[in-house]
Amino acid sequence: MSCSEQLMTALDALDHAFASEGPFLVTGCTHCYSERDFAELSGPLHLIGDRLVSSVAAKTPDHWEDFPRLYRHLVPRIIRLLVTGRLHIDGELIASRLIHAGWATWDVPLTEALRDVWSAWWQSTLHTHPSPVPVRDCLSVITVATNSLRPWLDTWTATDTPAADAHLADLVDDVTFEFEITDLRMGFYDEYDATAELLGWLLTDVRDRVIDTRLDAPFLHEHLQATAQRPRGSTSPLGI
């Protein structure tokens, strides 16, 4: 089974796991949503239009009477649109909303199904170039959602394929533009300071797989030493 097929299998398993989260009476902000919208959201999941799903996925929690329950109910639709590149809002926002909805505290079958999607999505992304969702966006979503970057980088290190290397070149080109890598934060609200972990990985674990002389800048190694000595999220002593 290919990685893309494994992703589709994980998405189908997500549908099955969340099937117990049946419809309920949805209420919320009447300035942004009509009674027709509330009725649609209160009906069968598969009948809710993609436009409405995307809208709800982006709105702040205070728009809804029971935001955690609504988001949990919509997760299969939101995530499928997200990982297939059809959710036309900032993907990082989804990770932030999932955290607010307390996804890691949901029943084990639900959280396991979602974690399986993160893993399958990451594998599929690394094996497909170009991918439906840019690699940096995918990495940001799963990093913020799981509050962990290193396991995903380790998977990338172990995936020595032309597609993974092409993604690596894209990432390096992205984060070294104006040397954003010296202060790189992930998440819609900059929840995760990825500077030390990502810079260290680029300069050591995968340096031989990247043809980009910008990574040879001496100050990057100096910056890495400085960032490694301070807690994640604190201000750069170099002022960069």
Side-chain angles (χ1 to χ4, degrees):
M1 183 182 296
S2 69
C3 289
S4 59
E5 290 172 334
Q6 289 175 5
L7 175 57
M8 292 300 107
T9 297
L11 289 171
D12 290 343
L14 189 73
D15 291 342
H16 180 74
F18 280 78
S20 59
E21 299 293 321
F24 68 101
L25 182 62
V26 176
T27 56
C29 176
T30 56
H31 292 288
C32 298
Y33 296 94
S34 66
E35 290 303 319
R36 181 177 179 178
D37 292 329
F38 292 133
E40 188 172 335
L41 290 169
S42 301
L45 183 61
H46 69 282
L47 294 180
I48 303 174
D50 288 352
R51 178 200 62 81
L52 186 55
V53 171
S54 296
S55 175
V56 175
K59 291 294 185 182
T60 54
D62 58 6
H63 278 74
W64 311 102
E65 186 69 26
D66 190 345
F67 165 76
R69 185 177 181 184
L70 175 59
Y71 221 80
R72 193 166 62 242
H73 176 54
L74 293 178
V75 154
R77 293 289 307 281
I78 293 172
I79 298 302
R80 188 177 289 270
L81 291 173
L82 170 66
V83 305
T84 55
R86 295 181 292 124
L87 187 66
H88 302 300
I89 59 176
D90 192 322
E92 290 184 310
L93 186 58
I94 302 306
S96 299
R97 296 287 182 260
L98 283 169
I99 291 171
H100 200 107
W103 81 271
T105 67
W106 296 346
D107 291 343
V108 171
L110 306 185
T111 59
E112 286 186 346
L114 199 45
R115 291 183 191 279
D116 286 345
V117 169
W118 299 145
S119 296
W121 184 27
W122 187 230
Q123 287 282 2
S124 180
T125 298
L126 291 179
H127 284 81
T128 307
H129 187 275
S131 53
V133 177
V135 72
R136 179 174 176 176
D137 293 345
C138 175
L139 183 60
S140 294
V141 170
I142 60 180
T143 293
V144 173
T146 62
N147 192 36
S148 181
L149 172 59
R150 190 67 210 192
W152 310 110
L153 296 181
D154 288 344
T155 298
W156 201 341
T157 303
T159 308
D160 191 2
T161 64
D165 285 351
H167 279 305
L168 185 56
D170 291 344
L171 179 72
V172 170
D173 187 57
D174 192 357
V175 301
T176 54
F177 177 72
E178 297 185 347
F179 289 100
E180 182 189 4
I181 187 60
T182 59
D183 186 18
L184 181 63
R185 298 171 190 276
M186 294 180 170
F188 190 79
Y189 301 104
D190 293 336
E191 296 99 320
Y192 195 99
D193 184 350
T195 306
E197 290 173 283
L198 188 57
L199 181 56
W201 179 73
L202 288 174
L203 295 182
T204 55
D205 298 52
V206 293
R207 182 64 190 91
D208 61 339
R209 291 165 60 179
V210 182
I211 304 174
D212 196 315
T213 57
R214 286 174 293 184
L215 290 179
D216 297 327
F219 85 91
L220 285 182
H221 292 270
E222 296 169 4
H223 187 73
L224 176 60
Q225 291 179 342
T227 56
Q229 295 171 5
R230 72 178 193 268
R232 185 158 55 85
S234 60
T235 303
S236 170
L238 301 181
I240 304 173

